[in-house]
């Protein structure tokens, strides 16, 4: 298979949807932990957070499969930059799956399934180990902050490549037809 020169429309769309979802889920996650029982959002915010999180998990699995089948363009820059970019991309995926798994463990420790927008339910395994919600909650929290930090670094690197190096790194992700 010949290596593509830019990301295809499916990967570009998934990339930007993922960015929006991660930022939105992070913001809602921080906000909802301070809601009181009497807030009108007390049940709605976690319901939306979980539903979008489950859909993002499925989309991320699809994204990895699509990347494997269709390929991705090469990473530009010197050897250190390419190695750092590969490492950062892999770590982003690891963090996403840690967040998905820990969110699942938080949400299902009481034995109730996760309802996804009244479309379907993800079955619960219940409490698999003592203090599951607390331990998974801490992992979820720190992994989310780490992911946001890495996403900021990722965006800064793309802007550096575009404005300083003046290469095609960012153009490949926005679908620039001149490539």
């Amino acid at each position: 298979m010949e290596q593509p020169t830019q990301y295809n429309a499916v990967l570009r769309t998934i990339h930007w949807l993922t960015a929006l979802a991660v930022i939105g889920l992070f913001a809602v996650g921080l906000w909802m932990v301070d809601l009181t029982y009497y807030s009108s959002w007390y049940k709605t915010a976690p319901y939306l957070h979980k539903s979008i999180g489950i859909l993002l998990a499925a989309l991320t699995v699809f994204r990895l499969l699509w990347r494997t089948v269709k390929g991705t363009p090469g990473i530009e820059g010197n050897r250190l930059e390419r190695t750092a970019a590969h490492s950062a991309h892999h770590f982003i995926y690891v963090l996403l799956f840690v967040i998905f798994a820990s969110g699942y463990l938080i949400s299902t420790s009481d034995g109730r399934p996760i309802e996804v927008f009244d479309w379907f339910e993800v079955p619960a395994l219940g409490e698999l180990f003592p203090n599951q919600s607390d331990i998974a909650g801490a992992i979820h929290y720190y992994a989310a902050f780490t992911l946001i930090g890495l996403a900021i670094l990722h965006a800064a690197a793309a802007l550096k490549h575009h404005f300083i190096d003046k290469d095609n790194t960012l153009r490949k992700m926005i679908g620039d037809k001149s490539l």
Side-chain angles (χ1 to χ4, degrees), residues 4 6-13 66-67 70-71 73 172-173:
Q6 65 179 335
Y7 291 92
N8 62 56
V10 172
L11 285 177
R12 287 193 315 269
T13 302
W66 190 269
R67 285 174 55 101
K70 296 294 186 176
K172 288 186 266 188
M173 187 46 78

Side-chain angles (χ1 to χ4, degrees), residues 78-122:
N78 63 43
R79 182 178 172 180
L80 178 62
E81 288 174 322
R82 289 191 314 271
T83 300
H86 277 293
S87 297
H89 287 135
H90 286 102
F91 194 39
I92 285 171
Y93 285 115
V94 167
L95 287 168
L96 283 169
F97 284 105
V98 165
I99 291 167
F100 300 147
S102 60
Y104 173 82
L105 291 174
I106 296 164
S107 301
T108 62
S109 65
D110 62 2
R112 289 183 291 164
I114 300 172
E115 193 175 305
V116 180
F117 291 122
D118 293 327
W119 298 340
F120 62 93
E121 290 182 345
V122 177

Side-chain angles (χ1 to χ4, degrees), residues 76-77 158 160-171:
E76 298 187 27
K160 178 246 184 213
H161 276 277
H162 188 73
F163 292 110
I164 296 172
D165 299 343
K166 301 195 183 308
D167 65 21
N168 293 319
T169 298
L170 186 57
R171 287 187 193 97

Side-chain angles (χ1 to χ4, degrees), residues 32 37 39 41 48 57 77 81-82 118 161:
M32 74 182 187
Y37 179 78
S39 169
W41 285 95
L48 293 172
E81 288 174 322
R82 289 191 314 271
D118 293 327
H161 276 277

